[in-house]
Amino acid sequence: MAVERDHYEVLGVSKSASPEEIKAAFRKLASLHHPDRNPDDPKAAVRFKELNSAYQVVGDPQRRSMYDRFGHRAEGAGSPFASNGPFAGGVVDFSDIAIDGILGDLLGVFGVGRGDKGDVKRQLEVTFEEAAFGTTKTMRYARIVACDECRGSGSEPGTAPETCTACQGRGRVRFQQGILPIAVERVCQRCKGRGSVVVRACAICKGSGLVTNENEIEVTLPPGVEHGATRVVNGAGNRPRPDKPAGDLELEVLVAPHPFFKRAGDDVVCTVPLAFTQAALGSEVEVPTLDGKGQLRVPAGTQPGTTLRIKGKGMPKRTGLGRGDQRVEVTIEIPTSLTQRQRELLEELAKELGDDIHPQRKGFMDKLRDLFE
C-alpha cells in the first residue's frame, strides 16, 4: 500500500511556514509540474494532483490546524473533520441548533442553547354559531417589538453603539473545548450576537432595543372551523432581537360549548325529550337549529334512542360543498307525578293494550319463560 507523503514535504516548506510562504511555494511548483508544460511526462499529472491536495489542506488555516494535530487521519475517508464532514476544519457552530434534554443542559453551560424565533401562541374563543358560519374577530395581545424611541439600536437618540471588543464586531466567538478536538463557535455573550454594545442606553428600552406593546389584529375564520384548529399569522409574533424579523402568531381556536348542540364531523347533534304520547301517536315538534326554530316530524311508534335527521341543517362541509345534517336524538319522558284519574286511565290503557303490541317486551318474556322451564 502506497504511503502518502507529508503535505509540507510535498510543498517543500517547513511546518512553521507562513501562509504567504506556503502560497508562494505552491504557485512555483504548480507552474513547474503542470501537465500542460510536461506533455511527455506521464507522472506530471500525478505530481500536480499531489501538490494541489497538499495545498488544499495546509493552505486553509482550519484544515491545516487539524492536519497538524492528527495528520492524514484528519482528512481520511469518514473523518468528521474532513472538508465534507460535519465538523470540517475542526469548527462546529451550535448556535442555531435546537438542543433539548441532557445534551442541551450540558451545552447550556457554555452558552449554547435553543434559539428563540419569537413565535407566540394564543387562544381564540368563538361561539358555536361563529364556528359554524365563520366570523371575523378582533384580538388584542401583548407582543415584543422594536423600540420606536431608538429605532431598535438600544442607544440613546443621538448616540451610536460601539463595536464589541469581545468578538471584534463579528457577533460570534470561537473557543476550544478541552474534551473535544474541535473549535466551538457560538453567539458572543457580551453583545448577544449584534457585534456592537450600547454605551449610553435608551431611556425607554433600557438598552435592549425592544419594548412590549399591545397589538390588535383582525382574524377571519372560515365557516365550519373546528375546535382545536390552528391559524398562523406570519410576522405577528415577538421580535427576538432588534436585528431579527418578528416570529409568527399561532392561534388555537376554542369553540365554546352550546346549550343544545354538539358537533359530530359535519353533523350537528341535539337531544329532544318527547312525551310518551307524542312518541306513541306521532307528532310535529319544535326543535332548535343553527338557523333558528325548526319543525320535526316524529313518526308514530318512535322508540327511545331513535335518531331522526333534518337534512342540510348541520355544519358547512369541509369540502366546501353544502352542509351536513342535524341529528335529533329522541328521549322519552315518563311522567313522575300522576293524578288519581290519570292513573286510572293508564291502568285501563295497559289492560287494553296487553303484551301483543309490545313486541320487544313480548320477546323478552318468551325467552325468560324458556330459560326457567
Side-chain angles (χ1 to χ4, degrees), residues 107-121:
L107 293 177
V109 175
F110 303 104
V112 181
R114 184 169 187 163
D116 181 9
K117 296 181 180 179
D119 293 342
V120 174
K121 293 186 177 182

Side-chain angles (χ1 to χ4, degrees), residues 140-326:
R140 294 183 63 86
Y141 65 102
R143 66 181 294 212
I144 299 173
V145 297
C147 175
D148 287 335
E149 180 71 12
C150 65
R151 297 186 177 182
S153 70
S155 296
E156 182 180 307
T159 66
E162 293 184 354
T163 300
C164 176
T165 56
C167 64
Q168 305 304 317
R170 292 179 61 244
R172 313 179 79 77
V173 294
R174 185 179 299 171
F175 64 96
Q176 191 74 33
Q177 176 58 30
I179 62 173
L180 299 173
I182 56 176
V184 178
E185 189 172 272
R186 59 171 171 80
V187 173
C188 175
Q189 295 302 296
R190 183 167 185 261
C191 67
K192 307 302 181 184
R194 299 175 66 175
S196 59
V197 292
V198 173
V199 179
R200 296 177 62 183
C202 169
I204 302 299
C205 66
K206 311 303 181 185
S208 69
L210 300 169
V211 294
T212 301
N213 280 350
E214 284 290 318
N215 192 45
E216 183 176 290
I217 60 171
E218 283 194 347
V219 182
T220 300
L221 300 178
V225 66
E226 296 183 77
H227 180 82
T230 57
R231 291 290 181 273
V232 176
V233 183
N234 295 328
N238 291 330
R239 188 178 289 272
R241 286 183 3 190
D243 58 335
K244 295 287 186 181
D248 298 332
L249 170 65
E250 181 180 328
L251 294 175
E252 180 185 11
V253 178
L254 301 182
V255 181
H258 194 277
F260 293 117
F261 304 126
K262 292 182 180 179
R263 181 170 184 166
D266 293 331
D267 291 345
V268 169
V269 181
C270 72
T271 301
V272 174
L274 299 176
F276 78 96
T277 53
Q278 290 176 306
L281 301 175
S283 61
E284 288 267 343
V285 296
E286 190 176 81
V287 296
T289 74
L290 288 173
D291 300 310
K293 295 179 180 179
Q295 293 293 319
L296 175 67
R297 188 180 68 83
V298 179
T302 295
Q303 300 298 310
T306 297
T307 298
L308 304 175
R309 285 183 177 269
I310 306 176
K311 293 290 185 180
K313 291 297 184 180
M315 287 283 183
K317 291 187 176 179
R318 286 162 285 188
T319 60
L321 299 174
R323 292 170 60 178
D325 299 335
Q326 177 167 325

